[in-house]
Amino acid sequence: MRKSLILIFLVSVMACNSSKKATSKASEKFTVESLENMNARDLKSQYPDANIKEGSGLFEEGTEERAYSILYPETSDELHITWKDAARTEILDIRFAEEGKWKSKSGIKVGTSYEELNKINEKTISFYGFGWDYSGAVLWNNGELENSGLRVFLSPEQAPENKFIGDQIIEPSPEEIKMLNLRVSSIIINYAN
């Protein structure tokens, strides 16, 4: 009887450890920084279920033609990769704007609140106005995420007042921040340098 109990205990411990490893691997799979050193072949191997679409298009305000890959197209896990080269061997940037599984290693994902960003950054962030090309772009203000390579964009819950529109750094009051109810709407990680 005692041997049976010990055996059951050991099997239970092994199952728990196996489950923790599987959960860790699954969450790492959708951490954008884990893609940094991959090429197109690696992506197909690591994400066989991603239904990857490839093509080329104009980027950088229509001045550069670049190859791209889209993982999980037309799903909540859609992720865009732009390549530095036509052979798709080195990533230029990664973008996502859906509330799926993707997140940064710091835990930022689409839907993260303004308040959560400040906690993660360990310093109050600033952001640009809305309604233009870099709408809601976040400035890390020398916080923890300053050198992370992450470019994060915020959106308000409802259409903002005119004073929050345009190419300007916004300085809202705490009441206005609460009213705007800002959330991350898209994330870019750039490897241009």
Side-chain angles (χ1 to χ4, degrees), residues 15-26:
C16 286
N17 286 339
S18 174
S19 174
K20 286 178 186 173
K21 287 178 186 173
T23 302
S24 174
K25 289 248 186 224

Side-chain angles (χ1 to χ4, degrees), residues 27-174:
S27 68
E28 187 177 299
K29 177 181 178 177
F30 288 98
T31 301
V32 289
E33 290 90 347
S34 68
L35 305 175
E36 180 179 0
N37 296 312
M38 289 191 186
N39 59 39
R41 192 174 323 144
D42 295 334
L43 287 175
K44 288 176 183 170
S45 171
Q46 296 293 317
Y47 298 88
D49 61 334
N51 190 26
I52 299 172
K53 287 188 178 180
E54 294 182 335
S56 63
L58 293 174
F59 292 85
E60 296 165 42
E61 298 182 3
T63 61
E64 294 285 331
E65 185 165 349
R66 297 206 181 272
Y68 64 82
S69 300
I70 303 172
L71 280 68
Y72 305 100
E74 299 178 32
T75 71
S76 62
D77 294 323
E78 183 170 295
L79 181 108
H80 293 244
I81 296 174
T82 308
W83 301 94
K84 290 182 180 179
D85 58 333
R88 295 177 171 84
T89 62
E90 194 174 355
I91 294 174
L92 176 69
D93 65 38
I94 301 169
R95 303 163 186 257
F96 60 105
E98 300 291 334
E99 286 196 55
K101 296 175 187 162
W102 293 103
K103 64 180 181 184
S104 73
K105 66 183 175 185
S106 56
I108 299 170
K109 58 187 179 178
V110 173
T112 297
S113 72
Y114 170 85
E115 293 78 14
E116 289 171 292
L117 277 183
N118 285 314
K119 285 179 190 171
I120 294 168
N121 191 47
E122 296 182 13
K123 190 168 187 180
T124 302
I125 61 171
S126 299
F127 58 94
Y128 279 90
F130 307 103
W132 65 297
D133 290 349
Y134 298 102
S135 180
V138 167
L139 302 169
W140 300 118
N141 296 330
N142 294 313
E144 281 297 307
L145 299 171
E146 185 68 38
N147 298 312
S148 65
L150 286 174
R151 295 187 68 199
V152 172
F153 300 84
L154 296 170
S155 289
E157 183 178 45
Q158 299 174 5
E161 296 176 28
N162 282 344
K163 69 179 183 177
F164 300 121
I165 303 293
D167 180 3
Q168 60 179 324
I169 295 176
I170 303 299
E171 295 181 13
S173 69

